[in-house]
Amino acid sequence: MTAKLLGANDEADFESAVRILLEGGLVAIPTETVYGLGADASNPEAVARVFAAKGRPANHPLIVHVADLERARMLSSDWSASAEVLGRTFWPGPLSILTPRSEIVPLDVTGGRATVVVRVPRHPATLRLLAELHDAGSCGLAAPSANRFGEVSPTTARHVMTDLGGKIDAILDGGACEVGLESTIVDCSADPADILRPGAITRHTVASTLAEHGIGVTSRTHAERSQDTYAIAPGMLRSHYAPSTRLEVFETDVLLLAARQSHESAGRSVEVVPRPPDDFEYSRSLYAMLRECDARRADVMLAVLPADEGLGTAIRDRLLRASADR
Ligand code: TXA
Ligand code: MG
């Protein structure tokens, strides 16, 4: 099987994507963060195919994408005040909310867990597609990032084709992703709320938004919490988002340069991951650059870490995981 490439702006292609999903097939979909591998969350056979195509362990829960806040509430048995504030403020957008699951979310979507992670993505074609799925009776679209388990997430339709083209039915091409890193995940079932995965909606933004409503966020920074949680929470694995070439990361250009010289004098070929001038551009292009450098099959890749603040926290997180020992 080779995935059909469908254009998000082509009416017939769009309808074909909806039909494939309603028939239990797999369609990769564009979002503002990364491409997702979509399946009808209400169809257990379709959901099982997602795990098979990704090579993902069945106890790793999937994010459920829905068209709006009202649909998100339906997936929860206890929609907290923090979930309501964050959903109202940031959806559609690069934020995912962990909440106790309601009966309408099948257990295989959540890997048997009592919670579900839900998100309203911002891509217009995907929002329209979600509305059509709901109209046909679906609770939403289960969609992990559309890459093989543990590897770099795709930010273009071509990346998806390379990774999963032989294993899925279609790819809805909606252009390059504007954010480029996976969504911020906030555990809104906890009080105070807890940021599980850093993303484009920064810790500062989440904390100040919740503070206006008198709601707190755990004070532990991402760097502190990673020490214990990487190994425990599914998908928060220490090694993740990883290219196949070994990646080494550095706090400064000077340190990177020293490492480069030492590798080269030992006869090793080196690829340096370009560092764009600002973190928005770094975030948007990081995964494409990792893939390009990886494809040149050097002995080692080197990258510079941005400062641990704002969007830099999420970029650091992904680079550190991509460079972790496997
Ligand atoms: O930006 C994104 O979030 C992208 C796009 C496609 O929406 N999706 C994405 O999905 O990154 P995925 O599956 O690659 O990452 C979701 C993370 C995983 O680490 C998963 O283990 C965690 O969220 N997760 C999902 N449901 C969970 C739950 N009920 N409890 C704990 N962790 C959960
Ligand atoms: Mg992923």
Side-chain angles (χ1 to χ4, degrees), residues 54 56 144-145 147 153 182 197 240-241:
K54 276 195 63 120
R56 185 175 186 155
S145 52
N147 51 282
S153 295
E182 303 80 359
R197 179 172 71 181
H240 209 129
Y241 314 106

